[in-house]
Amino acid sequence: DITMTQSPSSLSASIGDRVTITCRAGQSISSYLNWYQQKPGKAPELLINGVSILQSGVSSRFSGGRSGTDFTLTISSLQPEDFATYYCQQTFSRPRTFGQGTRVEVK
Amino acid sequence: EVQLEQSGAEVKKPGESLRISCKGSGYSFTSYWIAWVRQMPGKGLEWMGRIDPNESESKYSPSAQGHVTISADKSINTAYLQWDSLKASDTAIYFCARVDSSGYNFYASDVWGQGTMVTVSS
């Protein structure tokens, strides 16, 4: 199985802050890295696929990047609706493993 | 509107069997895989496996293999997750999700069901 190590596990931030979440893959996964947002009591929603391809309807304040096997999700200016838990997922090989999640909370 | 509608919450006893469902609408059901994802109380997401509804071919995670069965009935656009003998540790929310089998979006899950809460308790 490919281990996805996500950091931090939680963070506190204020409206307008720039926030970056990192996900490290245990081995090469090419561009098969996706990001999801989950709000309490709701199903996850796809934000980004293929490292940096924004899903239709997702705000452009979300962006994805990569450096080797380290992947990042950046929120350029945190908005009230962005307080949620974020997960990365590799879809390079089975089983399709997720990171452990990053909870973004109000500071 | 593209959507996945899951069956309702279940409360079962250890050792009982269960089948939950996920019905797709608004798209060509056989053109996409359906994946199942588990979320235990207060925990993260865990991929269990997926099915190709067109071929009824299933793939499983090592932890799910042998404990659950993923199936589909393409005539009614519905996928299923089934247990023959539930354990207390199966208590979780189970989500189904659509996956583009062409790989065009890197096999991301772009549409999700609302989740089915399964509680297993004696």
Side-chain angles (χ1 to χ4, degrees):
Chain A
D1 298 10
I2 298 177
T3 300
M4 304 302 292
T5 303
Q6 204 172 323
S7 62
S9 56
S10 66
L11 65 90
S12 297
S14 301
I15 301 299
D17 283 354
R18 182 181 180 87
V19 169
T20 296
I21 299 166
T22 299
C23 188
R24 173 168 291 175
Q27 63 187 72
S28 175
I29 58 170
S30 185
S31 297
Y32 290 83
L33 189 285
N34 312 303
W35 290 98
Y36 301 87
Q37 177 193 68
Q38 187 180 31
K39 296 181 179 179
K42 299 294 186 181
E45 293 185 4
L46 177 64
L47 295 176
I48 288 172
N49 72 81
V51 178
S52 59
I53 302 170
L54 212 59
Q55 189 74 355
S56 177
V58 173
S59 171
S60 58
R61 63 180 179 273
F62 291 93
S63 63
R66 167 176 57 186
S67 176
T69 57
D70 287 351
F71 299 86
T72 56
L73 173 69
T74 298
I75 309 172
S76 59
S77 177
L78 200 63
Q79 298 301 302
E81 60 269 31
D82 301 336
F83 292 99
T85 300
Y86 294 86
Y87 295 93
C88 62
Q89 181 201 28
Q90 67 80 20
T91 47
F92 179 76
S93 67
R94 289 189 302 268
R96 314 296 204 200
T97 42
F98 290 91
Q100 66 267 46
T102 295
R103 186 174 178 181
V104 177
E105 301 173 314
V106 178
K107 192 170 187 178
Chain B
E1 180 191 4
V2 175
Q3 60 180 1
L4 296 173
E5 186 68 27
Q6 295 186 232
S7 50
E10 301 275 0
V11 179
K12 291 289 189 178
K13 291 181 166 49
E16 291 186 332
S17 63
L18 175 65
R19 189 177 76 167
I20 62 176
S21 66
C22 170
K23 183 175 176 63
S25 61
Y27 72 99
S28 173
F29 188 69
T30 53
S31 296
Y32 294 81
W33 299 335
I34 294 291
W36 286 95
V37 175
R38 181 174 77 171
Q39 188 166 41
M40 298 177 76
K43 302 298 184 184
L45 304 173
E46 180 183 1
W47 187 86
M48 301 178 70
R50 64 86 172 153
I51 187 164
D52 176 350
N54 193 43
E55 303 290 340
S56 282
E57 176 201 35
S58 300
K59 302 290 186 183
Y60 298 89
S61 71
S63 60
Q65 182 82 48
H67 186 55
V68 298
T69 301
I70 297 172
S71 61
D73 184 342
K74 64 183 179 182
S75 70
I76 55 172
N77 292 355
T78 301
Y80 303 98
L81 180 64
Q82 178 177 334
W83 295 260
D84 290 336
S85 181
L86 286 160
K87 304 176 183 178
S89 57
D90 292 319
T91 295
I93 299 173
Y94 293 87
F95 295 100
C96 63
R98 187 182 82 160
V99 180
D100 187 339
S101 58
S102 72
Y104 179 73
N105 74 343
F106 296 87
Y107 302 114
S109 296
D110 66 343
V111 178
W112 291 67
Q114 81 276 21
T116 296
M117 180 69 215
V118 174
T119 303
V120 184
S121 174
S122 54

